[in-house]
Amino acid sequence: MPAGPDNARPGGPARRPADTGRLAAFSDGVFAIVITLLVLDLRVPEYHEGELLASLGREGPSYLAFVVSFVYVGVLWLNHHALLRLVRGTSLALNWINIAILFGVVIIPFPTAVLASALVDGDAGDLRVAVVMYAFAAALMSAPWLVCFRYLRRHPELRAEGVDQDHVRAQEIRPITGLVLYGLTGLVALVVSPILGLVGIIVMIIFHGVTSEGLPRWRRWAARR
């Protein structure tokens, strides 16, 4: 197989794939920081004597936003961990794709804070804006995952032993599903109900959690494409 632009220089020796250790360590550090930052959005409510329980209850929706995002970041880490098991080495292009994936991860605390604020202090219009923002951020986050799987499909020299092209291709359905359904969830929140939109986001997080190890059942379908 001719060397591609990522593993060879014109007139020079072939570039061997770099070890994934540094990529994994850097990514794990980013995930750890992001999942810790989420707790900074939790606040102790103002209360008068004897009203602490009621005040904590009023903050309940913001705690829900924290739990949803905490689970979301955890699910993304599980997916990223499974992704790294598909590769035996990395390249400059794959490193940039990974940075794009991490960019999607680090912005999660912002829509989480907006959602928590809207749930506690906002009206229906504010909640609609917050849910649409969250859904849009989640949809955008799916794009680099799709690019990553397609890149691995075209570069077998980076794939781990036993990971064939059909298996990698089958995984593309997951980010495609994220792009489409998170987008539809935002539309539902905008046109129908922000609560339904929030439920849709939670359902999509569960989907990505359940399928974090990939979609092996889709391999035959992928082979027929």
Side-chain angles (χ1 to χ4, degrees), residues 173-193:
I173 191 64
R174 298 167 62 238
I176 291 174
T177 301
L179 278 166
V180 173
L181 293 188
Y182 277 125
L184 289 176
T185 294
L187 187 61
V188 167
L190 183 65
V191 176
V192 182
S193 165

Side-chain angles (χ1 to χ4, degrees), residues 78-79 81-82 85 167 171 174 208-216:
L78 289 174
N79 279 267
H81 185 65
R85 290 206 298 272
H167 179 74
Q171 308 316 311
R174 298 167 62 238
H208 285 298
V210 171
T211 62
S212 62
E213 291 297 315
L215 293 172

Side-chain angles (χ1 to χ4, degrees), residues 18-119:
D19 182 74
T20 60
R22 293 187 66 186
L23 182 146
F26 175 72
S27 300
D28 284 347
V30 171
F31 276 103
I33 292 171
V34 170
I35 209 166
T36 302
L37 287 176
L38 289 173
V39 78
L40 298 181
D41 292 324
L42 300 181
R43 60 187 182 186
V44 177
E46 296 182 1
Y47 63 95
H48 298 291
E49 185 177 349
E51 297 179 355
L52 176 58
L53 182 60
S55 297
L56 287 172
R58 286 192 292 271
E59 293 291 330
S62 69
Y63 304 149
L64 171 64
F66 164 76
V67 171
V68 169
S69 291
F70 185 92
V71 173
Y72 190 18
V73 175
V75 165
L76 288 170
W77 180 82
L78 289 174
N79 279 267
H80 193 270
H81 185 65
L83 171 65
L84 291 183
R85 290 206 298 272
L86 299 180
V87 300
R88 68 177 181 87
T90 186
S91 65
L92 178 62
L94 190 58
N95 285 337
W96 276 110
I97 295 170
N98 187 67
I99 288 173
I101 290 174
L102 296 179
F103 175 79
V105 175
V106 299
I107 65 174
I108 291 177
F110 177 62
T112 300
V114 173
L115 179 61
S117 177
L119 284 168

Side-chain angles (χ1 to χ4, degrees), residues 209-224:
V210 171
T211 62
S212 62
E213 291 297 315
L215 293 172
R217 296 179 183 177
W218 289 79
R219 294 181 68 177
R220 292 182 181 177
W221 171 85
R224 294 196 297 267

